[in-house]
Amino acid sequence: MSLRHFVPFLAAFLGYDACAGDFLYSSGFQQRLRVNGYYVGYERNLYPISEVDFSAVTHLMVGRVTPTASGGVTTNFDIDNTNGPIFATQSSDAAHAAGAKAVLMVGGAGEINGWRGAATPANRATFVSNLLSTMDTLHFDGLDLDWEPLETGDYPNFLALAQALRSARPNMILTVPVGWINSNFSATADPFYGTISSVFDQINVMTYDMAGDYPGWQSWHASALAGETGNTPSSIATSIDYYRRAGVPAAKLGIGAGFYGNCWRNVTQPHQTGGTLQASDGAMSYKNIMTSYYSAANRQWDTIAKVPYLSSAAPMGAQACNFVSYDDAESIAAKGAFTRANNLGGIIIWTISQGHLTAPPVGQRDPLLAALRAAFLQ
């Protein structure tokens, strides 16, 4: 028997889950890293489910259903009430057929009023019942509670909701995405996140889109691994440090990367003043960057932040960018090395559809997923 076939056999013999648990490395059994790929209804035509490269994805995070203030759940998936559930079921079934887990994204930006009403004591039981029914009907393994923004006043109802879900389904997958941290305000970590870590399987930090033309900021990268300063106060390293100090176990923490970038005007590199952030999610997908903005001559590498960027005094592309921050195969490799070195659980991607190219031959259309597979799963 070859080592490739012996490892899953031995893992099963010893009680390890070869799909979702531990793997044998030279140093012994270690937890397999997670790659959670968000896959949303409004982008379904960018990357048909039949073409998704599941060899690089352990969890397909399918979005989204949304809460109503009375405890209901909408299921149009940003498509419509008929085709939305069809999209979701096809996605979860495809994930399972490929040996991946399927997790149902709940909420997202703009849904805070629904969350706050649904999670109240008066509506919570109804909401839990509706969430679990929807999860079962659409063939999902768990829920991703995307409550944005999660503010201090929301803590009691959020925790009570998560506990009710865990109590009802002890073996379901329960995840939550949390915000990146401004390092200027990170001295005291919030112990609430350590408290909720006992309820959730994963607490994933949305360490992408971590820059903007905010007052007092200079131009900066969307997903810097390190190199934060007072005027560019964001990095993956400082955000992860914050949640570790808050009491979240490293193995439950995930970092984030965007398959899209940020377009800046009037600056050509990080650490400059006077720039304006022109476009990001959607318009600046990795596909669009590589099709309409990228040139080898303009590509630079930040040796401290461990990310690439495009720099040009002449406007680039339809958005007339002078500085484009994005992730590529090299920065994903750096993120994988950081995740392993810090014994973290894995990575989330928003969204895998934005990284899918259509011009290259089949087998070469998902270079970022190929980089994730090499950095996190091999």
Side-chain angles (χ1 to χ4, degrees), residues 1 10 21 28 59 116 129 132 163 171 176 232-233 248 252 269 279 310 312 324 333 336-337 343 352:
M1 181 182 293
L10 180 61
H59 296 69
R116 287 174 174 160
S129 177
L132 295 177
Q163 290 172 329
N171 296 320
V176 57
T232 58
V248 181
K252 290 194 174 186
Q269 61 187 28
L310 304 179
S312 174
V324 175
N343 299 310
I352 60 172

Side-chain angles (χ1 to χ4, degrees), residues 277-359:
L277 183 63
Q278 184 66 22
S280 58
D281 190 7
M284 295 303 295
S285 68
Y286 179 78
K287 177 185 177 182
N288 289 345
I289 290 171
M290 298 309 293
T291 301
S292 302
Y293 297 83
Y294 178 84
S295 74
N298 290 340
R299 195 258 191 190
Q300 308 291 325
W301 177 256
D302 189 320
T303 58
I304 297 175
K306 304 295 184 185
V307 287
Y309 62 96
L310 304 179
S311 175
S312 174
M316 295 179 287
Q319 300 291 339
C321 312
N322 302 112
F323 165 47
V324 175
S325 172
Y326 68 110
D327 266 304
D328 66 2
E330 186 174 4
S331 62
I332 285 174
K335 286 174 168 62
F338 175 88
T339 299
R340 292 185 186 278
N342 288 278
N343 299 310
L344 304 179
I347 190 169
I348 58 173
I349 302 299
W350 184 272
T351 60
I352 60 172
S353 299
Q354 294 189 64
H356 182 62
L357 309 180
T358 53

